[in-house]
Amino acid sequence: MVVLRMRNVHKRKYVLLCMCIFGFIMYRYMGTSVKHHELSRNVGLSANSSQFTLEGHPFQILAGSIHYFRVPRTYWRDRLLKMRACGINTLTTYVPWNQHEPERGVFNFQTQLDLEAYINLAAELGLWVILRPGPYISSELDLGGLPSWLLRDGRMRLRTTYPGFTHAVDSYFDKLIPKVVPLQFKKGGPIIAVQVENEYGSYSKDSNYMLFIKEALQSRGISELLLTSDKLRTLKSGGVSGAISSVKLQKLNQRDIQDLYAVQPNSPKIVMDYWTGWYDVWGDLHHVLPPEDVVSTVREILRRGMSVNLYMFHGGSSFGFMGGALNEPTYRALVTSYDYDAPLTEAGEYTQKYHLLRDLFSRFKRDDNFPDMPALHYRDAYEPAIMYQHLSLWDALSFTEGPFKSSSHLTMENLPVNNRNGQSYGYTLYETVITTGGSLMSGDNVRDRALVFVDRIYIGLFKRRNVELMVPEGQGQRTLSLLVENCGRAHQGNDLDNQHKGLVGDVLLNNTPLQNFTIYSLDMKPSFIDSLYEAPWKTLPENPSFPSFFMGRLFAYGYPSDTYVKLPGWEKGVVFINGLNLGRYWSIGPQQSLYLPGPYLNSGTNQVIVFEEKEGDYKVHFEESPDLGMAADIH
């Protein structure tokens, strides 16, 4: 009996010892789940002269960027598990102000934008988090993630301490920051660092601005390590006292290292954005970065003991009208795909980059216990959707918000729509009465493209380099219409205050400004697309008019799979699946397909609506593979 008790005692001690050892391994390897509840967290991520430490232990950040707002929520877990299986220990994500506060004082942190759920999921899967809340984030988003209603203030000075901007930031941070404060490391959460703004060194219009943002974060309870992030040439001017400066780059050379050490000699070094690829613009080629270049640079970064964040690890899609634009040297709008030539494709598939990086990280960490790579999702090629109904743009106007009368032009942002927050995205139709023909001059006041009609007959196109059209002569009063598209506000550069869209100045007919407009807002939000159910759709005629909406059906039986929308024979427009805006297509490329995630489909019948500006094939194809266009190496 005594012997049996002694054995039980030893057995309990042995079990307790095993549990302690297992807990310690989980703490060091997984880094979050055990520690989250059982261990004190007095010291978070810290920086000494040579390395980062996490709760006193040496810690090298191996991070990757995945944006929750670019990935269907149903796939968050899949993408983060694939990140974890590659050897990444930290997730980084931006927070897009323009999506979380689409109208002043109206906030959305639900469903696809549930930031707290995303961060908690990262913790559950064993990932630390570096949060990049902005307010400006760039991220190739319209206006760099800033809400367009800020531009209603004619004196607005974005990213400065101008009161109109700081008051708006304070209001936004009052809602955002309390949501993430409890998720900080020292409070038991996964957030180990927070970035102060983004790339301010290349903007740098206000010496007090970065201090304002830093204090705005800290005064609301942010207490973890602070970071700033800039390109090397602007690293110094983008920093702020009390924050570690980090660098963005795509190639690493000896001079870069010397410059980095010169700017910040007594701190650990982190490449906050190592660009694994690049974004694409309409009318160009698809940018790719060879896998061997990526692995070579990351290997060198690790060899030097530096930390790194792969931007992007998985890009996803800029669904809807989310994407931004370049404004210098000329205006160029970004495509819908944000594939970025990242280690995980737009649809979450493994690439050669992924496998090479996983091998590199496994050898670097000397750890054979990497999680298994999750299985890939099945993709399907569905039968084409035949467009069987047609609705002209003109017949859809009664379902818009408006119309509005104005004696002179109004920009999109200044329209009295959306609870007087203006129009953020999409198209705006301006109509006026003319009594003569002649020379119509835009004077570069059309932002960004305009289809021009007389009595609803197409006569030509205004774009940035095409500023004159001839209006044919005619009898009596006629209606001149300009359908203006916002192709995306610039996401970077020093001209953010001037990113108004629509008609931003006078359009002249024979040197006389057009006046007395009737204006329709066509932002094409889900509520508008849903309202078209009541519209007077007609059976597709043999020669339909343009611009128009076309409706068809996609049948997906069983559990719907991912697929790609392809539109050969169509010119330019927007695709809606079950009321959701997948994004723009444009025959000029490079992108020739739109990613359609399986979770966006119903089992059975799905509604397909295409808004086409000029020419259609009346059939929408669904194929298994993407087509991002002809590829070109990034130089």
Side-chain angles (χ1 to χ4, degrees):
M1 195 70 174
V2 173
V3 172
L4 182 59
R5 277 186 194 156
M6 288 296 291
R7 283 177 180 168
N8 286 339
V9 168
H10 288 305
K11 187 176 181 180
R12 284 196 296 271
K13 287 182 177 179
Y14 177 77
V15 170
L16 183 61
L17 178 61
C18 289
M19 289 176 66
C20 289
I21 293 171
F22 177 75
F24 179 75
I25 292 172
M26 291 293 288
Y27 157 65
R28 294 302 300 273
Y29 179 67
M30 297 295 288
T32 178
S33 53
V34 173
K35 202 173 171 202
H36 182 89
H37 297 292
E38 297 179 11
L39 301 173
S40 64
R41 289 181 159 190
N42 298 320
V43 181
L45 186 68
S46 302
N48 59 33
S49 60
S50 61
Q51 66 181 0
F52 290 109
T53 61
L54 188 59
E55 208 167 33
H57 301 284
F59 183 73
Q60 190 167 18
I61 299 167
L62 303 179
S65 290
I66 301 179
H67 300 150
Y68 58 100
F69 48 92
R70 282 186 163 118
V71 179
R73 180 167 178 165
T74 310
Y75 284 162
W76 286 354
R77 179 178 292 271
D78 173 77
R79 306 307 195 250
L80 295 185
L81 282 171
K82 288 171 178 172
M83 169 183 275
R84 191 78 178 84
C86 192
I88 299 293
N89 60 27
T90 303
L91 165 71
T92 70
T93 185
Y94 284 123
V95 182
W97 181 6
N98 56 8
Q99 293 183 62
H100 286 295
E101 193 180 2
E103 298 177 9
R104 187 186 289 269
V106 177
F107 297 93
N108 181 6
F109 289 92
Q110 305 300 314
T111 57
Q112 184 64 48
L113 294 174
D114 192 339
L115 175 61
E116 293 165 281
Y118 187 62
I119 294 172
N120 279 317
L121 177 61
E124 176 192 332
L125 301 180
L127 290 162
W128 301 115
V129 173
I130 295 177
L131 192 68
R132 310 172 84 174
Y136 166 83
I137 60 174
S138 181
S139 189
E140 288 71 63
L141 292 182
D142 184 278
L143 203 58
L146 300 174
S148 63
W149 47 258
L150 291 167
L151 300 177
R152 290 174 67 84
D153 180 347
R155 295 174 297 171
M156 177 57 65
R157 295 180 64 236
L158 300 173
R159 303 179 73 190
T160 71
T161 51
Y162 169 68
F165 185 70
T166 57
H167 291 162
V169 171
D170 282 334
S171 175
Y172 170 53
F173 275 7
D174 283 345
K175 288 289 185 181
L176 169 66
I177 302 306
K179 293 179 180 296
V180 297
V181 162
L183 301 174
Q184 294 180 103
F185 179 87
K186 281 174 271 191
K187 294 183 180 292
I191 297 175
I192 57 173
V194 175
Q195 184 173 301
V196 183
E197 236 261 358
N198 188 52
E199 283 191 70
Y200 197 69
S202 61
Y203 199 72
S204 200
K205 290 188 174 182
D206 187 331
S207 59
N208 297 315
Y209 175 69
M210 288 295 282
L211 183 60
F212 159 72
I213 298 296
K214 175 191 167 187
E215 291 177 348
L217 294 168
Q218 291 181 326
S219 66
R220 289 169 175 82
I222 295 297
S223 59
E224 301 299 338
L225 184 76
L226 297 180
L227 300 163
T228 61
S229 185
D230 288 275
K231 299 182 183 74
L232 267 171
R233 59 185 172 78
T234 58
L235 194 64
K236 207 166 192 177
S237 52
V240 64
S241 175
I244 298 290
S245 294
S246 66
V247 69
K248 300 174 178 239
L249 52 80
Q250 194 158 63
K251 292 185 178 179
L252 190 69
N253 56 49
Q254 188 59 37
R255 182 170 180 178
D256 293 337
I257 299 298
Q258 291 171 350
D259 290 347
L260 186 58
Y261 275 83
V263 172
Q264 192 168 257
N266 297 313
S267 293
K269 307 301 179 282
I270 175 171
V271 179
M272 192 58 196
D273 283 344
Y274 169 65
W275 297 310
T276 60
W278 205 243
Y279 53 83
D280 295 335
V281 297
W282 290 114
D284 203 343
L285 299 173
H286 171 50
H287 294 94
V288 296
L289 186 63
E292 54 272 19
D293 289 7
V294 172
V295 174
S296 174
T297 303
V298 173
R299 182 188 294 115
E300 181 63 14
I301 290 170
L302 299 181
R303 189 186 70 80
R304 292 177 177 273
M306 302 166 69
S307 289
V308 65
N309 173 52
L310 304 177
Y311 188 99
M312 298 290 297
F313 185 82
H314 168 57
S317 306
S318 297
F319 293 113
F321 298 131
M322 192 190 302
L326 296 172
N327 214 28
E328 300 166 357
T330 58
Y331 178 84
R332 291 178 295 167
L334 270 60
V335 304
T336 299
S337 171
Y338 201 63
D339 177 87
Y340 212 84
D341 195 36
L344 285 181
T345 70
E346 182 175 14
E349 296 170 307
Y350 303 115
T351 66
Q352 187 183 3
K353 280 181 189 175
Y354 180 96
H355 293 294
L356 290 174
L357 286 167
R358 188 172 193 263
D359 180 63
L360 173 64
F361 290 146
S362 66
R363 286 185 286 110
F364 173 74
K365 295 171 74 172
R366 294 183 177 84
D367 191 339
D368 296 325
N369 296 318
F370 273 33
D372 291 335
M373 292 165 54
L376 294 175
H377 290 283
Y378 184 69
R379 291 174 296 161
D380 211 343
Y382 296 105
E383 288 296 314
I386 308 300
M387 302 292 102
Y388 65 96
Q389 285 192 297
H390 169 261
L391 177 70
S392 77
L393 170 70
W394 319 108
D395 289 337
L397 293 179
S398 61
F399 295 87
T400 65
E401 187 175 349
F404 307 96
K405 303 288 187 179
S406 176
S407 59
S408 62
H409 67 271
L410 281 176
T411 66
M412 276 188 177
E413 297 77 12
N414 287 313
L415 291 177
V417 296
N418 298 314
N419 299 315
R420 306 197 74 80
N421 284 274
Q423 181 180 340
S424 295
Y425 312 109
Y427 298 77
T428 306
L429 181 68
Y430 298 81
E431 293 194 327
T432 188
V433 173
I434 60 172
T435 57
T436 183
S439 173
L440 189 67
M441 300 285 293
S442 72
D444 197 29
N445 288 325
V446 169
R447 302 292 167 83
D448 299 297
R449 297 173 79 252
L451 303 175
V452 185
F453 306 84
V454 174
D455 285 343
R456 299 182 175 177
I457 297 173
Y458 177 74
I459 65 166
L461 173 71
F462 277 136
K463 52 185 179 181
R464 297 275 178 141
R465 296 178 185 173
N466 176 17
V467 297
E468 182 177 12
L469 286 175
M470 293 307 297
V471 177
E473 296 292 341
Q475 299 295 316
Q477 294 187 340
R478 295 176 296 163
T479 300
L480 177 72
S481 306
L482 295 94
L483 181 63
V484 184
E485 180 190 7
N486 165 11
C487 295
R489 297 179 183 84
H491 60 266
Q492 63 184 30
N494 289 309
D495 199 32
L496 294 181
D497 300 337
N498 298 312
Q499 290 302 306
H500 300 81
K501 296 298 182 179
L503 294 185
V504 302
D506 287 331
V507 175
L508 308 178
L509 179 58
N510 299 325
N511 295 317
T512 302
L514 297 178
Q515 292 182 316
N516 300 319
F517 290 101
T518 300
I519 306 174
Y520 298 86
S521 172
L522 286 152
D523 51 13
M524 299 196 184
K525 292 191 295 189
S527 57
F528 168 72
I529 298 299
D530 290 345
S531 74
L532 294 184
Y533 279 114
E534 307 299 323
W537 291 87
K538 297 180 175 64
T539 301
L540 186 68
E542 187 173 338
N543 295 302
S545 63
F546 294 93
S548 287
F549 295 90
F550 297 83
M551 184 190 293
R553 294 193 186 104
L554 161 64
F555 296 96
Y557 295 110
Y559 189 81
S561 303
D562 289 359
T563 190
Y564 294 91
V565 180
K566 295 185 180 177
L567 298 108
W570 300 77
E571 175 66 23
K572 185 180 190 303
V574 190
V575 176
F576 303 88
I577 303 290
N578 297 326
L580 295 173
N581 186 339
L582 280 193
R584 295 181 177 92
Y585 65 89
W586 197 351
S587 62
I588 66 171
Q591 182 178 356
Q592 298 293 339
S593 64
L594 288 169
Y595 172 51
L596 172 51
Y600 288 1
L601 294 173
N602 304 317
S603 179
T605 304
N606 296 270
Q607 181 197 67
V608 181
I609 291 180
V610 178
F611 175 70
E612 167 59 47
E613 296 181 7
K614 295 177 71 175
E615 180 182 356
D617 182 55
Y618 321 128
K619 203 187 292 184
V620 175
H621 298 263
F622 303 92
E623 300 183 9
E624 292 181 34
S625 58
D627 183 356
L628 297 178
M630 184 180 294
D633 285 357
I634 299 166
H635 296 293

